[in-house]
Amino acid sequence: MHIKQTFTKLLDEMPLSEISVKLIVENCGINRKSFYYHYQDIPSLLEEVVTEDTERAIRSCKNLSSLEECLRSIAAHILENRRAILHIYRSMSRDSYEKGLLRLCDTVARLYIGAQVGAREIAPQDRAILIGIYRSELFGLLLHWLMEGLKTDIDPIICRACYLCEKSAEEMLGRCQME
């Protein structure tokens, strides 16, 4: 939809706090009623944009074969949309982006733990705990990068984190099977 495209273009150009319905409709060439027919307000538009973006990222991660590939894909997407994401992250609506990021990290953690578990039998509560651990680690890694303004080269960190995760996953799964 043209409203979402205009909104994301404006978000790339300016902070969220400077974007108004008036500015969106002027750039879209529509009237305010048309905007309000589709969206209750700017936060609802933002929520839809973030949700759709999260869904796209989840779909792309499901086609990747490793934790490292998933994290590199997420990082590349964040960098491609750096200005817009930082404008959202630095706004009062940060929670919308964080919810989407947490959901994405949950999906990646589930895929990773599923691949690591393979045919092994572990208790459902252990699986849930392992997913929670990895979800939190991934979310923390990406959130810290955002908090720093995406200034750090994340690639070596992703590489090392994935190496460490692989070793710790093997050890944790071994403990799950021993009990």
Side-chain angles (χ1 to χ4, degrees), residues 1-8 21 24-25 28 30-52:
M1 174 173 282
H2 194 56
I3 295 172
K4 286 188 265 191
Q5 291 169 337
T6 300
F7 176 67
T8 54
V21 171
I24 294 169
V25 300
C28 271
I30 61 171
N31 61 39
R32 291 176 72 86
K33 284 184 181 182
S34 294
F35 177 90
Y36 288 113
Y37 176 79
H38 295 285
Y39 302 100
Q40 181 180 349
D41 50 20
I42 290 177
S44 66
L45 171 57
L46 176 64
E47 187 76 30
E48 187 171 313
V49 167
V50 168
T51 299
E52 288 178 2

Side-chain angles (χ1 to χ4, degrees), residues 42-172:
I42 290 177
S44 66
L45 171 57
L46 176 64
E47 187 76 30
E48 187 171 313
V49 167
V50 168
T51 299
E52 288 178 2
D53 195 50
T54 301
E55 289 299 320
R56 271 191 301 278
I58 286 171
R59 281 192 303 275
S60 73
C61 282
K62 286 181 178 178
N63 295 326
L64 300 173
S65 62
S66 72
L67 180 62
E68 189 169 344
E69 284 182 12
C70 285
L71 282 174
R72 286 181 196 274
S73 174
I74 293 166
H77 175 74
I78 289 171
L79 288 174
E80 286 169 15
N81 299 284
R82 170 190 208 107
R83 289 175 49 109
I85 289 172
L86 286 174
H87 284 147
I88 296 169
Y89 186 74
R90 293 176 177 152
S91 76
M92 298 292 284
S93 297
R94 166 189 301 173
D95 61 323
S96 291
Y97 185 76
E98 288 178 351
K99 281 190 321 189
L101 186 61
L102 185 60
R103 193 163 152 256
L104 179 56
C105 290
D106 182 70
T107 299
V108 171
R110 286 177 188 284
L111 291 169
Y112 178 69
I113 293 301
Q116 294 299 309
V117 168
R120 296 180 238 195
E121 289 190 33
I122 66 169
Q125 62 268 30
D126 286 346
R127 179 185 287 265
I129 289 169
L130 291 173
I131 289 168
I133 289 168
Y134 281 90
R135 175 187 54 236
S136 298
E137 291 298 322
L138 298 174
F139 183 70
L141 179 95
L142 294 170
L143 199 60
H144 184 262
W145 186 44
L146 276 165
M147 288 170 48
E148 291 181 328
L150 308 174
K151 293 177 182 162
T152 308
D153 179 8
I154 195 76
D155 204 50
I157 296 168
I158 288 172
C159 184
R160 184 69 180 162
C162 290
Y163 170 77
L164 295 172
C165 284
E166 185 178 309
K167 298 297 181 187
S168 65
E170 289 172 19
E171 185 176 329
M172 286 189 281

